[in-house]
């Protein structure tokens, strides 16, 4: 993707990376939380293998990894590390299997190699894949500061205030060679990075060498949507007074939950161009519905809008029909939908052609619809369903009505706290 718009990241006194340059809202480093908790209560590790010393420095006794209990998708993580002579460790992320993490995670190399020519085993490398642009590490025994910024499928690495590496996982489609033709280390050639899931556990490798690397001040912050300082409004009003709909199709119950009765859509009376569409939804079993954006024709909305899929398919592998997908066009990075009967929170950020979607506090979609120029084929080569090919996404006007699809099948989706936050052209 060419660019990204996010509304809550961290100011870390770093040069502006291309993906961060357009972010209008910066939070300070004080908003970050300890990566493993204050006393390792949020960590998963073999008993006795990791501990803080009296100076709050984290160290391992053997080559046994420590992991977060939670999974992370898009995040900013910062930490300090000290590499004694001969030491070797790593920062791991997007891990899907803690017991067999080497082929099921991405590792950022950490070791004692100050002054050496960088390669894909050097400090700050994407281990086995891509070397850092320069050697920015300090001599052994000194504290280094590393910051990793992972947004969707892009990852930036900063070491001691310098940006030393950047990778776009979506470009690594070959399992043996990188995008520029360089070889990938043989033990990582089983699956391409483009096919890996950019969501998983985060950890440090244990003592892997003559002496162990020590860590301190390890902190993390999820990349999230933020409406701080802005005033959200009820999109449809308290009693659907700000909508266009058939009263036989929708109603609001006493607790404020919006419920559909038939397969008729409900729309805002007003058009919106730049906004955050923020709401909660609950699937019933086998439910199928949708959140409608950029609609230019409320009577014939299906080919004249984009639909964010809402459905009871939390166990499905990702494709462009699972919950959170831009239906028929864009596959979410991973499936964050909760089981039927549980409330989900979705935030859809639209800024010009850019569509960024957070589902249950994780970034799952970042789509630049200007790239979807063909009516019958998506940029990834997949075909478009016949009922969607009247207009390509790039042709759709960004200024449109917002809505919800009704009961599409035999089961309903319920909605509540349907909010809109207007964004102006300068944000």
């Amino acid at each position: 993707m060419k660019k990204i718009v996010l509304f809550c990241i961290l100011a870390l006194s770093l040069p502006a990376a291309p993906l961060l340059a357009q972010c209008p809202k910066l939070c300070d480093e004080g908003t970050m939380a300890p990566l493993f908790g204050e006393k390792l209560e949020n960590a998963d590790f073999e008993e006795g293998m990791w501990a803080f010393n009296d100076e709050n420095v984290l160290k391992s006794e053997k080559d046994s990894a420590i992991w977060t209990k939670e999974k992370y998708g898009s995040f900013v993580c910062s930490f300090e590390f000290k590499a004694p002579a001969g030491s070797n460790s790593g920062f791991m992320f997007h891990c899907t299997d803690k017991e067999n993490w080497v082929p099921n995670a991405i590792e950022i190399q950490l070791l004692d190699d100050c002054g050496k020519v960088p390669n894909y085993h050097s400090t700050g490398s994407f281990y086995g894949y891509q070397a850092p642009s320069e050697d920015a590490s300090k001599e052994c025994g000194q504290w280094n500061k590393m910051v990793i910024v992972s947004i969707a499928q892009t990852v930036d690495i900063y070491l001691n205030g310098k940006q030393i590496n950047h990778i776009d996982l979506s470009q690594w489609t070959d399992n043996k060679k990188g995008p520029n033709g360089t070889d990938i280390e043989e033990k990582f050639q089983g699956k391409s990075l483009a096919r890996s899931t950019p969501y998983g556990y985060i950890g440090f490798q244990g003592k892997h060498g003559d002496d162990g690397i020590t860590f301190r001040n390890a902190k993390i912050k999820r990349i999230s949507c933020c409406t701080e300082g802005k005033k959200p409004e009820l999109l449809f009003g308290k009693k659907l007074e700000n909508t266009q709909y058939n009263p036989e199709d929708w109603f609001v119950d006493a607790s404020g939950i919006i419920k559909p009765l038939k397969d008729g859509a409900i729309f805002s009376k007003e058009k919106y161009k730049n906004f955050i569409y923020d709401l909660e939804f609950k699937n019933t079993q086998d439910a199928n519905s949708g959140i409608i954006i950029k609609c230019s024709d409320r009577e014939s909305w299906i080919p004249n809008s984009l639909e964010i899929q809402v459905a009871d398919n939390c166990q499905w592998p990702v494709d462009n029909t699972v919950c959170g997908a831009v239906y028929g066009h864009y596959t979410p990075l991973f499936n964050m939908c909760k089981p039927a009967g549980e409330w989900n929170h979705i935030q859809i950020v639209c800024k010009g052609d850019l569509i960024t979607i957070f589902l249950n506090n994780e970034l799952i979609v970042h789509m630049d619809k200007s790239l979807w120029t063909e009516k019958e084929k998506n940029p990834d080569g997949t075909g478009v369903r016949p009922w969607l090919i009247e207009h390509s996404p790039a042709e759709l006007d960004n200024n449109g009505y917002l809505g919800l699809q009704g009961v599409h099948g035999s089961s309903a989706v319920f909605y509540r706290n349907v909010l809109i936050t207007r964004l102006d052209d300068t944000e």
Side-chain angles (χ1 to χ4, degrees):
M1 297 301 173
K2 298 186 295 185
K3 45 193 175 180
I4 193 165
V5 172
L6 298 173
F7 293 86
C8 188
I9 61 167
L10 301 173
L12 296 166
S13 301
L14 299 170
L19 290 177
L20 305 184
Q22 297 186 39
C23 298
K25 176 62 182 175
L26 301 178
C27 301
D28 62 35
E29 194 171 1
T31 63
M32 300 179 79
L35 178 62
F36 300 118
E38 296 286 353
K39 298 181 179 180
L40 301 184
E41 67 273 15
N42 298 330
D44 182 9
F45 61 97
E46 185 180 351
E47 186 176 357
M49 292 296 100
W50 288 83
F52 286 117
N53 65 16
D54 293 339
E55 297 178 339
N56 212 31
V57 172
L58 181 64
K59 186 176 181 179
S60 68
E61 295 300 323
K62 295 182 180 179
D63 190 2
S64 178
I66 184 171
W67 299 100
T68 57
K69 290 182 177 179
E70 293 184 34
K71 292 182 178 181
Y72 293 84
S74 295
F75 63 85
V76 178
C77 185
S78 69
F79 59 90
E80 294 174 86
F81 68 93
K82 185 192 293 184
S87 59
N88 185 339
S89 184
F91 171 88
M92 295 86 73
F93 64 105
H94 294 174
C95 176
T96 56
D97 185 345
K98 297 177 186 178
E99 301 301 319
N100 185 30
W101 64 265
V102 172
N104 295 296
I106 298 175
E107 179 184 353
I108 308 302
Q109 178 74 303
L110 307 172
L111 77 163
D112 165 35
D113 65 349
C114 179
K116 297 182 180 179
V117 177
N119 58 50
Y120 68 13
H121 289 163
S122 301
T123 294
S125 66
F126 291 94
Y127 183 75
Y129 292 97
Q130 181 170 283
S133 59
E134 62 178 293
D135 170 31
S137 59
K138 297 180 181 180
E139 294 181 0
C140 66
Q142 297 186 35
W143 285 103
N144 298 266
K145 183 172 183 179
M146 180 170 281
V147 179
I148 294 95
V149 182
S150 175
I151 302 177
Q153 289 181 287
T154 63
V155 186
D156 290 278
I157 301 174
Y158 299 85
L159 182 59
N160 298 321
K162 296 181 179 180
Q163 184 178 3
I164 61 167
N165 221 331
H166 169 82
I167 198 168
D168 182 344
L169 302 178
S170 67
Q171 302 300 311
W172 290 66
T173 55
D174 192 309
N175 66 335
K176 294 185 178 181
K177 290 188 178 294
N180 61 358
T182 56
D183 291 332
I184 296 171
E185 188 163 355
E186 186 174 355
K187 64 182 176 181
F188 299 118
Q189 293 182 5
K191 182 174 71 173
S192 69
L193 287 177
R195 293 179 56 232
S196 65
T197 301
Y199 179 66
Y201 303 103
I202 291 175
F204 291 133
Q205 187 179 17
K207 182 180 178 181
H208 184 61
D210 297 334
D211 201 356
I213 286 181
T214 53
F215 302 90
R216 69 182 184 186
N217 298 326
K219 299 178 181 180
I220 195 161
K221 173 75 175 182
R222 295 182 192 273
I223 299 293
S224 61
C225 180
C226 181
T227 59
E228 182 181 352
K230 301 185 182 301
K231 187 177 180 180
E233 307 166 9
L234 284 172
L235 176 61
F236 297 147
K238 290 184 178 181
K239 297 182 179 180
L240 306 184
E241 67 271 17
N242 295 333
T243 63
Q244 175 181 297
Y245 74 107
N246 185 336
E248 295 182 357
D249 294 345
W250 292 83
F251 76 101
V252 180
D253 71 11
S255 63
I257 296 175
I258 302 173
K259 297 182 176 181
L261 299 171
K262 299 178 182 179
D263 191 5
I266 186 171
F267 286 101
S268 62
K269 286 183 178 179
E270 187 179 343
K271 289 184 176 182
Y272 296 87
K273 183 177 181 180
N274 298 318
F275 56 85
I276 303 174
Y277 192 179
D278 187 326
L279 64 146
E280 294 174 272
F281 65 88
K282 180 168 65 174
N283 291 312
T284 58
Q285 187 173 357
D286 299 324
N288 185 345
S289 182
I291 301 167
I292 304 163
I293 61 174
K294 302 184 184 296
C295 176
S296 59
D297 185 340
R298 290 177 289 193
E299 300 303 318
S300 178
W301 66 267
I302 291 177
N304 294 292
S305 66
L306 292 176
E307 176 190 349
I308 312 307
Q309 175 77 314
V310 175
D312 174 30
N313 52 24
C314 67
Q315 301 299 321
W316 288 18
V318 290
D319 62 16
N320 61 25
T321 68
V322 301
C323 194
V326 181
Y327 181 79
H329 295 295
Y330 189 105
T331 299
L333 298 171
F334 38 88
N335 193 335
M336 283 299 297
C337 184
K338 295 181 181 180
E342 296 185 29
W343 285 101
N344 297 266
H345 181 208
I346 191 168
Q347 296 163 298
I348 304 163
V349 184
C350 289
K351 188 74 165 99
D353 286 327
L354 300 178
I355 303 167
T356 306
I357 300 175
F358 299 85
L359 180 57
N360 296 320
N361 206 32
E362 288 288 357
L363 192 159
I364 61 164
V365 165
H366 178 63
M367 176 181 179
D368 180 350
K369 78 176 185 66
S370 69
L371 303 179
W372 270 252
T373 56
E374 296 187 50
K375 295 181 180 181
E376 299 184 6
K377 186 171 67 174
N378 295 312
D380 65 0
T382 57
V384 176
R385 287 159 176 77
W387 56 90
L388 299 176
I389 64 174
E390 186 172 326
H391 303 288
S392 71
E395 294 175 336
L396 295 175
D397 193 339
N398 289 322
N399 190 32
Y401 301 103
L402 306 179
L404 302 172
Q405 186 180 24
V407 182
H408 187 56
S410 59
S411 303
V413 175
F414 303 140
Y415 298 92
R416 71 182 183 188
N417 299 325
V418 181
L419 302 173
I420 188 73
T421 302
R422 301 169 190 268
L423 304 174
D424 63 37
D425 291 338
T426 63
E427 296 175 284

